[in-house]
């Protein structure tokens, strides 16, 4: 599937499901679960590498994880989920040439078919334009944008009228720039729904209500692998607890 085909999902009213993966075990599980898209999110900086923000992850690390994700699929390239990889902090903030090189290397050396980047500042819009003209599909990301944690914190965004107007305008700019979809993170449900109704491209929500064209979740949160989850992601199962219990039993048995 090509990234732009997700627009057809929206036209047909078919909900889009996106789950993150960070290695070959998680991508195999997510593929078997039937997700449409696997996102190699830079949240792996926190979930896998133990950082407190997404900022420290490097392009090389993102590439290594994306390659591992691709190796985990059991289906061939046309049948496994679409793979989108996050452009890490500082790989697209320093100009268009550097961004093309970074995004290009992810597509060249892995099975990823597109990249995701955060924000819609004028410089970012220029980068998006250039990437798309160079044959690199781009997914936008607005609302809580973790690479701007030092400006925004990890708080809910677009809580007042002016910031809601701003996020709607930015989402229109991303659509105009040619993004094939946009992630909207941790904003009030009503504004996410308004953006979804305004745009022709799919709006994928996380912590943005259930009225979006699709949903994305960090798989580790959704399966309860982490000690704490964000307020908008209730775990479906308590994997961490189950694993600790099973492993404790095994350790105890070895000591009998
Ligand atoms: O990095 C990530 O996992 C993400 C999702 C939260 C959308 O960007």
């Amino acid at each position: 599937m090509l990234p732009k085909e997700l627009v057809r999902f929206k036209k047909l009213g078919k909900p889009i499901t996106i789950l993150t993966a960070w290695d070959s075990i998680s991508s195999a599980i997510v593929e078997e679960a039937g997700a449409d898209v696997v996102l190699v999110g830079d949240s792996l900086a926190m979930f896998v590498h133990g950082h407190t923000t997404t900022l420290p992850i490097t392009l090389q690390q993102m590439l290594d994880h994306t390659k591992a994700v691709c190796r985990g699929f059991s289906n061939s390239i046309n049948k496994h989920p679409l793979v989108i990889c996050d452009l890490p902090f500082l790989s697209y903030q320093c100009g268009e040439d550097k961004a093309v090189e970074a995004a290009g290397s992810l597509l060249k050396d892995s099975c990823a078919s597109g990249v995701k980047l955060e924000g819609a500042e004028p410089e970012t819009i220029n980068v998006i334009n250039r990437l798309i003209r160079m044959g690199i599909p781009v997914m936008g990301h607005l609302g809580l944008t973790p690479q701007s944690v030092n400006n925004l914190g990890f708080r809910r965004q677009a809580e007042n009228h002016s910031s809601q107007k701003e996020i709607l305008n930015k989402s229109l700019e991303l659509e105009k720039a040619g993004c094939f979809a946009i992630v909207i993170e941790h904003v009030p449900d009503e504004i996410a729904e308004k953006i979804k109704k305004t745009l022709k491209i799919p709006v994928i929500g996380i912590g943005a209500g259930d009225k979006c064209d699709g949903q994305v979740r960090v798989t580790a949160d959704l399966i309860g692998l982490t000690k704490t989850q964000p307020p908008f992601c209730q775990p479906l199962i308590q994997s961490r607890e189950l694993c600790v219990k099973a492993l404790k039993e095994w350790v105890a048995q070895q000591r009998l």
Side-chain angles (χ1 to χ4, degrees):
M1 178 170 62
L2 297 175
K4 68 179 181 194
E5 286 175 49
L6 291 178
V7 178
R8 198 168 38 89
F9 282 51
K10 175 163 182 150
K11 280 192 191 137
L12 296 171
K14 187 175 169 210
I16 298 165
T17 51
I18 307 184
L19 287 169
T20 65
W22 54 91
D23 60 14
S24 57
I25 293 182
S26 54
S27 66
I29 293 172
V30 167
E31 179 189 29
E32 220 175 308
D36 302 306
V37 181
V38 166
L39 172 68
V40 187
D42 61 357
S43 59
L44 67 82
M46 301 165 78
F47 293 101
V48 180
H49 290 264
H51 295 295
T52 52
T53 72
T54 59
L55 304 190
I57 205 77
T58 66
L59 181 64
Q60 187 58 51
Q61 286 171 313
M62 289 304 294
L63 178 59
D64 290 342
H65 282 282
T66 308
K67 284 176 165 175
V69 161
C70 297
R71 286 191 290 265
F73 294 134
S74 51
N75 283 306
S76 59
I77 183 128
N78 291 325
K79 293 204 176 131
H80 67 60
L82 181 70
V83 176
I84 305 298
C85 179
D86 267 349
L87 280 180
F89 184 59
L90 285 196
S91 66
Y92 61 95
Q93 287 88 346
C94 305
E96 297 167 35
D97 289 347
K98 208 173 159 197
V100 172
E101 209 172 343
S105 69
L106 293 170
L107 264 59
K108 193 174 158 78
D109 296 327
S110 79
C111 71
S113 309
V115 295
K116 175 165 79 59
L117 54 77
E118 299 180 7
E121 299 312 315
E123 297 85 349
T124 316
I125 295 291
N126 289 341
V127 164
I128 294 171
N129 272 314
R130 175 84 174 276
L131 290 174
I132 293 169
R133 281 192 294 116
M134 294 302 113
I136 301 168
V138 179
M139 176 183 253
H141 185 157
L142 294 174
L144 197 175
T145 45
Q147 291 181 16
S148 300
V149 63
N150 291 310
N151 276 338
L152 306 177
F154 284 117
R155 275 182 297 108
R156 193 157 93 133
Q157 301 297 308
E159 302 239 65
N160 58 43
H161 184 68
S162 71
S163 57
Q164 293 185 352
K165 216 168 135 195
E166 190 183 325
I167 195 173
L168 181 61
N169 287 336
K170 283 185 171 179
S171 60
L172 280 162
E173 282 176 41
L174 290 177
E175 176 170 83
K176 199 167 148 217
C179 287
F180 65 85
I182 298 179
V183 167
I184 303 281
E185 181 168 355
H186 208 12
V187 299
D189 301 8
E190 312 76 60
I191 183 65
E193 190 178 0
K194 187 161 184 191
I195 295 171
K196 170 232 164 128
K197 284 184 175 158
T198 309
L199 299 193
K200 291 188 187 69
I201 57 171
V203 173
I204 313 296
I206 173 165
D210 57 6
K211 298 289 191 308
C212 296
D213 299 301
Q215 295 290 331
V216 55
R217 290 293 181 274
V218 173
T219 302
D221 283 336
L222 201 54
I223 61 175
L225 261 189
T226 45
K227 261 189 179 163
T228 54
Q229 278 83 29
F232 49 80
C233 187
Q234 290 310 310
L236 301 171
I237 41 168
Q238 301 291 347
S239 301
R240 190 175 189 280
E241 257 177 57
L242 289 171
C243 289
V244 171
K245 186 170 175 283
L247 293 174
K248 263 188 177 166
E249 281 168 16
W250 182 85
V251 169
Q253 272 168 16
Q254 307 317 303
R255 291 181 181 147
L256 284 179

